[in-house]
């Protein structure tokens, strides 16, 4: 009887096959990563592959076309509006990123100081980033309206203008307007992210530099900035990706107008693919931004790695 009891105990203590499999780190990692891989495949890989196949065909809404190769890419490259959209996207991304970086860094340095009500001000600064894009953009569109513009009213009261300015009706002013709104929305993201980076820098380094006689500007340039640079590059990388593929803000503000002067990659792809029903050409325009964005991301990642190793 004792022998039977021991055998039963051994069988109970012996791990089941499933348990033995999960004890292997390789199978456990595979089991944990499988749901993520499935989600990425459904919502990222499949749409991307479908877009590539669509750009190589002549499909329209309700009409299945045949394989045309690179004909859609050749067509859009000879499109003057597409070339305008390419220039606008790079200009829009470059200008807004520079201003968001400088204004966000300046704001982060101010918020890093000790003063009364610091927590409330930090929370208030996040409001432009928290408010839904469409809602805040509609408010800005009203502010830029030539008839009811509060901006025109303020400039008129200050004596800076004598007549109405059609902010969204002039190509140059319309581009400037959407750049201003994007900067307004993006500065809080830079400010809070860089503030988090500043919080990780030891105050003792600043104190040691001050004791050695370094001025505030020298302390920032030689102590704070090198330590903050890795965080800054990551924030810039995310901002470039989001701004390069921006759609909501431009679509609500101008719809790509006036006269297709403010189109970006995303808005022009939507107008061609959904507005006119040329799905294949719209997919080609969307994919045209991929090589540019990939190159920008690779360059930034290499620079980030270089900064971290240095």
């Amino acid at each position: 009887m004792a022998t039977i009891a021991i055998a039963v105990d051994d069988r109970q203590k012996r791990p089941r096959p499933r348990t033995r499999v999960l004890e292997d780190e390789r199978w456990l990692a595979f089991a944990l990563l499988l749901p993520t891989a499935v989600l990425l495949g459904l919502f990222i890989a499949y749409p991307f592959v479908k877009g590539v196949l669509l750009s190589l065909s002549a499909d329209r809404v309700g009409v299945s076309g045949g394989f045309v190769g690179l004909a859609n890419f050749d067509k859009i490259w000879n499109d003057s509006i597409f070339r305008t959209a390419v220039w606008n996207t790079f200009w829009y991304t470059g200008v807004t990123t520079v201003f968001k970086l400088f204004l966000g860094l300046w704001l982060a340095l101010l918020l890093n100081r000790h003063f009364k009500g610091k927590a409330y001000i930090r929370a208030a600064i996040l409001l432009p980033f928290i408010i839904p894009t469409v809602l805040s953009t509609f408010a800005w569109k009203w502010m830029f309206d030539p008839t009811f513009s509060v901006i025109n009213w303020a400039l008129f009261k200050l004596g800076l203008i004598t007549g109405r300015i059609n902010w969204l009706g002039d190509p140059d002013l319309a581009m400037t307007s959407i750049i201003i709104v994007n900067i307004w929305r993006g500065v809080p993201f830079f400010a809070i992210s860089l503030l988090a980076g500043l919080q990780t820098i030891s105050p003792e380094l600043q104190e040691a530099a001050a004791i050695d006689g370094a001025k505030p500007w020298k302390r920032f340039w030689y102590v704070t900035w090198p330590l903050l640079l890795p965080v800054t590059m990551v924030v810039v990388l995310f901002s470039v990706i989001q701004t390069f593929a921006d759609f909501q803000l431009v679509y609500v503000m101008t719809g790509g107008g006036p006269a297709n002067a403010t189109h970006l990659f995303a808005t022009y792809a939507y107008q061609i693919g959904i507005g006119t029903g040329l799905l294949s050409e719209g997919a080609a325009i969307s994919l045209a931004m991929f090589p540019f964005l990939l190159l920008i991301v690779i360059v930034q990642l290499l620079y980030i790695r270089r900064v971290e190793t240095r």
Side-chain angles (χ1 to χ4, degrees):
M1 294 295 293
T3 305
I4 295 174
I6 293 173
V8 172
D9 291 340
D10 290 340
R11 285 198 300 267
Q12 290 177 349
K13 293 179 181 179
R14 188 180 302 166
R16 297 178 180 180
R18 279 186 299 178
T19 307
R20 288 200 303 267
V21 169
L22 292 178
E23 286 178 353
D24 190 339
E25 293 184 358
R26 294 172 297 177
W27 286 105
L28 180 60
F30 176 78
L32 295 175
L33 291 175
L34 183 60
T36 303
V38 172
L39 291 176
L40 291 176
L42 288 176
F43 296 106
I44 296 180
Y46 173 75
F48 179 77
V49 174
K50 187 65 177 178
V52 172
L53 297 176
L54 194 62
S55 66
L56 300 176
S57 67
D59 290 355
R60 300 186 179 187
V61 175
V63 180
S64 179
F67 179 79
V68 295
L70 300 177
N72 291 320
F73 293 95
D74 181 67
K75 184 176 180 180
I76 64 173
W77 185 254
N78 295 317
D79 185 358
S80 60
I81 301 177
F82 173 75
R83 291 196 295 268
T84 301
V86 173
W87 164 253
N88 287 343
T89 303
F90 277 95
W91 176 253
Y92 176 73
T93 303
V95 173
T96 55
T97 301
V98 170
F99 274 92
K100 285 186 289 189
L101 174 59
F102 281 99
L103 293 177
L105 180 59
W106 171 70
L107 198 56
L109 291 172
L110 292 179
L111 294 176
N112 197 38
R113 299 181 177 182
H114 297 285
F115 54 89
K116 292 183 178 180
K118 179 173 60 176
Y120 296 102
I121 294 178
R122 288 179 178 177
I125 285 173
L126 281 174
L127 285 177
F129 191 69
I130 295 174
I131 298 174
T133 305
V134 175
L135 182 62
S136 60
T137 305
F138 267 117
W140 275 98
K141 188 175 183 179
W142 172 79
M143 292 171 64
F144 284 118
D145 185 88
T147 304
F148 306 102
S149 173
V150 66
I151 298 177
N152 283 348
W153 177 83
L155 294 176
F156 180 79
K157 289 296 183 180
L158 293 173
L160 300 177
I161 61 174
T162 56
R164 297 173 181 173
I165 299 177
N166 190 5
W167 293 95
L168 302 180
D170 181 85
D172 294 330
L173 292 178
M175 197 67 198
T176 303
S177 301
I178 63 175
I179 287 175
I180 291 173
V181 178
N182 184 276
I183 294 171
W184 173 80
R185 277 193 58 82
V187 165
F189 171 71
F190 273 78
I192 296 301
S193 301
L194 295 178
L195 177 61
L198 288 173
Q199 295 290 317
T200 63
I201 300 176
S202 175
E204 296 177 358
L205 298 175
Q206 295 282 349
E207 295 173 1
I211 293 173
D212 291 338
K215 300 294 183 181
W217 170 250
K218 295 286 186 179
R219 295 200 299 269
F220 169 78
W221 187 251
Y222 291 105
V223 178
T224 305
W225 179 246
L227 296 174
L228 191 63
L229 189 56
V231 176
T232 304
M233 294 307 302
V234 173
V235 175
V236 169
L237 176 62
F238 281 112
S239 177
V240 168
I241 294 173
Q242 293 176 355
T243 308
F244 204 87
D246 198 2
F247 172 78
Q248 299 180 70
L249 193 152
V250 180
Y251 184 76
V252 173
M253 285 281 291
T254 64
N260 300 312
T262 59
H263 267 307
L264 306 181
F265 274 112
T267 56
Y268 191 49
Y270 178 84
Q271 177 175 301
I272 297 297
I274 305 300
T276 64
L278 301 175
L279 296 177
S280 58
E281 292 185 23
I285 295 172
S286 298
L287 286 174
M289 80 169 77
F290 181 73
F292 299 112
L293 190 57
L294 181 63
L295 180 62
I296 293 173
V297 170
I298 290 175
V299 170
Q300 285 193 277
L301 287 176
L302 291 175
Y303 186 75
I304 290 173
R305 178 177 296 181
R306 181 182 176 186
V307 169
E308 289 177 347
T309 55
R310 185 172 54 185

